[in-house]
Amino acid sequence: MLALSFAVALAIGTALLMLPVSVVAEPPTDLMPAPTTAVGGATFVTAVFTASSAVAVTGLVVVDTATYWTPFGQAVILALIQVGGLGIMTFASLLAILMARRLGLRGRLQTSASVRTVGMEDLRGVVLGVARVAGTVQAVVAAILFVRLLTTHDLGPGAAAWNAVFLAGSSFNNAGFALASDNLMGFATDPLVLLPITLAVITGGIGFPVIFELRRHLGDRLRWSMNTNLVLAGTAGLLAVSTVTIAALEWTNPGTLGPLDWPAKLLNAFTAAAWTRTAGFNAVDVSAMHTQTWFAQDIFMFIGGGPAGTAGGIKITTFLVLFFIILTELRGETAVNAFGKRLARSVHREAVTVALLAVAVVMTGTWVLLITTHFTLDQILFEVVSAFGTVGLSTGITPAVPDAGKIMLAAIMFIGRLGPITLGTALATRSRKLLYELPKERPVIG
């Protein structure tokens, strides 16, 4: 149902973006602004890629969102972003309830204790809870951005309102779409624009279960589930590491942080760190970054954000479960413990399976693009990881990828958005007991 519903949304979005009313009449020039009436629709590849990027809340584009699409086309993109972001949060929470029902009494109790969003039967509460959180965050961010754009950036009331609403929806849903040709580079020195967007990105990225639990037990950490502890600790740690990494590597780069003063450098290093893991906005030129920075960003994009949220990647919880498994093995211990609780052995296998299948998707996509394009490995790997992690950052090669490559990237975005969620649920609910066990043997490892 999850895959089918998103496929239907993708098909509708593609059809709407192919309408003549979605595309501007003539390409804009420096002397003439983009007209608002269209004479021809987008091609199928352009429409399906853009719709896939929007519904998968990725942000990769093959045409300029600000100048290629009319306000109607931009509204279609925003609607797809909301469907993709809020739909995933709702479906992921509902799948947690479904998983609890399929696990038996003990499994239900364990899942209810770990997810701790709503009662197992309260489906209506899930939907309303997601809608309230999303509506509140987006309304606050849109109000802040509207005032700032209206008073400081010379936008009229209508343009300021539309940009504020669009950026609020795109940021909370971690989509990375913006209504300027340079994304957010025009606001690189304005913290009152960048920080509200970043906070919305982080809020949407930690996931609805964590938000709901913090609302109930913010001051009582002892009642936090392992999921909440993993997501919050992982988010804080990754933000710190990625901020330091990007700042250190790009501090003197004349194409990125170099021309800025040190407060603006720190601001853009922090926002880039937050956006790299899932959102895909950029206030500095990603194509001008060092190759070492791209590789570090590959790692952060692959990890992603929290489960049951608007973030992509294999998820922080999967990454930290693998980390604790490795730590336990290095210590020679038998049980994997984290935050005062023991991890179920089935979770070990689920994390390994999700991570290795994600590696397989990324490596396959990278290999195919290496064969079919002339771009370098670092550029292609960055593009594929960005697509799988539903991030949306690009070194600038996306429009030049051949149509077959664009379709493959669209498929990778779809897999990256739905794959970890549906696969994780399927692994948790799939249980087949054998009536016998084979003899145990230990092969040589390493």
Side-chain angles (χ1 to χ4, degrees):
M1 288 181 63
L2 178 62
L4 179 61
S5 64
F6 274 73
V8 171
L10 173 61
I12 295 174
T14 301
L16 291 175
L17 292 178
M18 292 179 68
L19 295 176
V21 72
S22 297
V23 183
V24 297
E26 298 176 4
T29 66
D30 294 336
L31 299 178
M32 182 180 69
T36 56
T37 58
V39 296
T43 64
F44 172 76
V45 173
T46 298
V48 74
F49 188 95
T50 305
S52 298
S53 184
V55 79
V57 291
T58 303
L60 284 176
V61 295
V62 292
V63 293
D64 185 5
T65 306
T67 58
Y68 186 86
W69 304 108
T70 63
F72 176 82
Q74 294 169 358
V76 171
I77 292 173
L78 180 59
L80 292 174
I81 290 171
Q82 297 285 12
V83 169
L86 304 186
I88 281 290
M89 293 183 76
T90 304
F91 268 110
S93 300
L94 295 180
L95 284 175
I97 298 173
L98 171 65
M99 182 174 66
R101 289 176 173 172
R102 292 282 299 277
L103 291 177
L105 180 57
R106 177 175 297 180
R108 294 185 190 190
L109 295 175
Q110 291 174 346
T111 303
S112 179
S114 63
V115 177
R116 204 176 296 187
T117 53
V118 291
M120 289 184 291
E121 304 297 331
D122 191 8
L123 305 183
R124 181 173 177 270
V126 173
V127 179
L128 293 179
V130 170
R132 282 195 295 266
V133 170
T136 301
V137 174
Q138 292 186 48
V140 171
V141 173
I144 296 173
L145 293 178
F146 172 72
V147 173
R148 188 63 176 175
L149 295 175
L150 183 64
T151 58
T152 307
H153 293 280
D154 299 326
L155 292 181
W162 177 230
N163 275 268
V165 170
F166 192 95
L167 286 174
S170 184
S171 59
F172 177 78
N173 290 293
N174 285 217
F177 282 89
L179 297 182
S181 299
D182 60 357
N183 203 267
L184 298 180
M185 292 176 62
F187 307 109
T189 58
D190 191 343
L192 293 182
V193 171
L194 299 188
L195 290 180
I197 291 174
T198 303
L199 293 177
V201 166
I202 296 173
T203 303
I206 64 176
F208 174 68
V210 175
I211 296 172
F212 196 90
E213 187 164 279
L214 289 178
R215 190 175 67 179
R216 296 174 58 188
H217 307 300
L218 180 60
D220 189 2
R221 187 172 180 178
L222 293 177
R223 301 186 67 179
W224 291 3
S225 65
M226 182 185 292
N227 182 76
T228 295
N229 279 298
L230 288 172
V231 171
L232 293 182
T235 298
L238 287 173
L239 277 174
V241 171
S242 53
T243 299
V244 172
T245 300
I246 293 173
L249 293 175
E250 299 294 323
W251 193 266
T252 59
N253 186 344
T256 55
L257 300 183
L260 304 175
D261 57 23
W262 71 265
K265 289 181 179 181
L266 293 177
L267 170 67
N268 282 273
F270 171 71
T271 55
W275 299 341
T276 293
R277 286 192 305 108
T278 176
F281 291 108
N282 66 284
V284 295
D285 188 0
V286 175
S287 65
M289 288 181 170
H290 296 307
T291 302
Q292 300 92 322
T293 308
W294 287 349
F295 186 74
Q297 289 177 304
D298 289 339
I299 299 173
F300 301 136
M301 291 190 295
F302 186 77
I303 296 172
T310 57
I314 63 172
K315 303 297 186 293
I316 291 174
T317 46
T318 303
F319 172 76
L320 288 182
V321 164
L322 294 174
F323 170 79
F324 283 114
I325 290 174
I326 295 172
L327 187 63
T328 300
E329 192 66 27
L330 293 176
R331 290 176 173 176
E333 299 173 352
T334 56
V336 180
N337 301 314
F339 297 99
K341 296 180 181 179
R342 180 169 54 88
L343 280 169
R345 292 191 179 274
S346 60
V347 177
H348 306 183
R349 300 190 297 270
E350 294 165 17
V352 171
T353 302
V354 169
L356 289 182
L357 288 178
V359 170
V361 171
V362 170
M363 299 309 295
T364 301
T366 301
W367 180 65
V368 171
L369 287 184
L370 278 173
I371 294 174
T372 57
T373 69
H374 62 277
F375 301 112
T376 60
L377 174 60
D378 53 357
Q379 291 176 310
I380 291 175
L381 180 62
F382 191 94
E383 203 80 7
V384 173
V385 174
S386 179
F388 173 79
T390 67
V391 178
L393 292 177
S394 174
T395 60
I397 69 173
T398 314
V401 172
D403 286 351
K406 292 173 183 175
I407 295 297
M408 187 190 68
L409 286 175
I412 291 176
M413 288 188 284
F414 197 83
I415 293 172
R417 191 64 183 134
L418 300 182
I421 295 174
T422 53
L423 178 60
T425 305
L427 292 174
T429 56
R430 182 180 177 86
S431 179
R432 186 179 64 174
K433 293 184 179 180
L434 295 177
L435 300 179
Y436 60 91
E437 290 186 356
L438 298 175
K440 183 182 295 185
E441 188 172 343
R442 183 182 181 88
V444 178
I445 301 297

